[in-house]
Amino acid sequence: MKLKFKAVLAAAVTALTICAFAAGCTDKPEENNTPDYGTLSIDDLKVFMTQDRSCTFAEIQPVFSKPEKAESLTYTYDTSSIKIEGNTVTPIKRENKEVNVRAKSEHFNVVFKVEIEFLKFAEDSSGLYDLSRFDVAQRAELCKEVTANTTLFIGDSFMDNHFIGEYMRSFAQGKDVLHAGISSTTSYHWEAAYSTVIGTAPKNIVMHVGTNNFYDVHDLTSDTQDSLTRLFMLMHSKYPSSNIYWFNITQRSDTSYAQNVSETNVYMAEWCAKYDWITCVDTCSKVTTAMLGDGVHPTTENYKVFTDALVEAGCEITEK
């Protein structure tokens, strides 16, 4: 019996020794060597199309939680509704629709939405796009003289004949220049009016617009920024050969919305800097309250600040 017990004990020790070296017999967890690629997220996007098929664009911005693991993505979507070139999305159809887009690579697979909104300005019930009190037809008549060499000044009262007209009588001599601004207009009004007013694509489209969004409509800063960027994208879609210049919003002597104006000017300068077809012209920093004849508009002689800044920004004005 004693010998038998020793034999059993020896066998148990041998078994334990074998177990210590055999795969799966350790009490330590097995190491996982699979690389951690992190996650991918893409925000939903929105694009717009008008009745004349002008459209906005939106940019896909993939966010990899581990940027060093970023991969090229392939997009799968309804090609009859939207188009994706690079990371830029544009609508194809005049429709209200949500389109699912799948972004996929070797290690990532996510779905995001692109919302298409068909803009019907005449049917808008908010009143933001109501042009009934403005003489849009008269401005369109003026713009029949526009050629591919024209520099066209449009926008709010800063570009209206009542305020800029006297200065333009001297500045525009010998130059292919026209002005057709409309007092009291906002960027919303110009979203609805630009294609009617402009007609033929000019060489340069120069705008001052945005101040009335705050002081007349009492707009939110983000809504004004959205309207301005939407307006400029629509204009670029309609007139791709035209250079667009935007005078940033002039501060008034009434500072009620000074912060909104400043925030919008900063945002728009950064937005415009991303594209080669639009230039933000900083006149706000050059116009002091003393230069404003009525607390809002520059006096006739101080319009020179605007045209000087425009030329300094690279706008080439053609001689007649």
Side-chain angles (χ1 to χ4, degrees), residues 194-226:
Y194 78 90
S195 60
T196 301
V197 171
I198 296 176
T200 300
K203 179 178 181 179
N204 303 305
I205 301 171
V206 182
M207 295 197 78
H208 186 289
V209 68
T211 182
N212 297 319
N213 287 50
F214 297 122
Y215 286 89
D216 291 359
V217 177
H218 314 297
D219 210 356
L220 296 176
T221 303
S222 58
D223 288 341
T224 288
Q225 293 168 359
D226 288 345

Side-chain angles (χ1 to χ4, degrees), residues 21-292:
F21 292 96
C25 289
T26 178
D27 58 357
K28 293 181 180 179
E30 182 180 355
E31 292 186 5
N32 183 359
N33 294 321
T34 303
D36 180 7
Y37 284 86
T39 60
L40 166 66
S41 60
I42 300 176
D43 288 341
D44 293 342
L45 302 173
K46 188 170 186 176
V47 289
F48 300 84
M49 178 171 276
T50 65
Q51 289 177 313
D52 67 357
R53 294 188 179 278
S54 298
C55 64
T56 67
F57 60 85
E59 293 172 303
I60 303 169
Q61 297 181 326
V63 178
F64 294 90
S65 64
K66 293 180 176 293
E68 70 277 10
K69 298 293 186 182
E71 297 178 347
S72 297
L73 299 170
T74 299
Y75 300 110
T76 305
Y77 54 92
D78 178 1
T79 56
S80 69
S81 294
I82 62 172
K83 177 173 64 176
I84 300 178
E85 293 182 335
N87 277 356
T88 302
V89 183
T90 51
I92 293 174
K93 286 185 178 179
R94 293 173 291 184
E95 60 184 353
N96 293 309
K97 186 175 181 179
E98 280 191 351
V99 181
N100 288 326
V101 179
R102 183 175 297 278
K104 191 173 182 179
S105 65
E106 183 179 357
H107 299 100
F108 299 99
N109 189 349
V110 300
V111 175
F112 63 97
K113 294 185 188 310
V114 175
E115 180 184 354
I116 305 170
E117 183 173 338
F118 180 22
L119 293 174
K120 301 178 183 179
F121 299 116
E123 298 177 17
D124 181 76
S125 59
S126 69
L128 289 174
Y129 299 97
D130 182 12
L131 300 175
S132 60
R133 62 192 178 97
F134 304 115
D135 197 346
V136 174
Q138 189 267 346
R139 301 312 194 280
E141 188 66 26
L142 285 174
C143 289
K144 286 182 177 179
E145 298 180 25
V146 168
T147 71
N149 292 317
T150 301
T151 296
L152 176 63
F153 291 76
I154 57 174
D156 53 34
S157 54
F158 280 70
M159 303 292 108
D160 191 298
N161 188 65
H162 181 76
F163 293 97
I164 200 175
E166 185 178 346
Y167 177 77
M168 279 297 185
R169 278 189 281 278
S170 58
F171 173 77
Q173 283 188 3
K175 302 181 182 73
D176 195 343
V177 167
L178 286 172
H179 61 280
I182 306 175
S183 289
S184 299
T185 50
T186 66
S187 58
Y188 300 108
H189 294 127
W190 279 99
E191 284 186 70
Y194 78 90
S195 60
T196 301
V197 171
I198 296 176
T200 300
K203 179 178 181 179
N204 303 305
I205 301 171
V206 182
M207 295 197 78
H208 186 289
V209 68
T211 182
N212 297 319
N213 287 50
F214 297 122
Y215 286 89
D216 291 359
V217 177
H218 314 297
D219 210 356
L220 296 176
T221 303
S222 58
D223 288 341
T224 288
Q225 293 168 359
D226 288 345
S227 177
L228 285 169
T229 55
R230 187 167 55 240
L231 166 63
F232 295 137
M233 285 189 280
L234 290 172
M235 291 173 64
H236 176 60
S237 175
K238 180 76 172 179
Y239 311 108
S241 64
S242 299
N243 304 303
I244 301 174
Y245 295 88
W246 178 67
F247 293 126
N248 60 1
I249 304 171
T250 305
Q251 292 283 11
R252 302 189 183 194
S253 58
D254 174 0
T255 59
S256 302
Y257 291 93
Q259 184 65 29
N260 305 73
V261 169
S262 294
E263 290 175 0
T264 300
N265 285 346
V266 169
Y267 176 88
M268 291 304 298
E270 294 174 353
W271 186 83
C272 293
K274 295 188 292 185
Y275 309 108
D276 61 3
W277 47 269
I278 185 167
T279 302
C280 176
V281 183
D282 177 23
T283 45
C284 179
S285 66
K286 299 176 174 64
V287 177
T288 65
T289 302
M291 295 178 177
L292 306 177

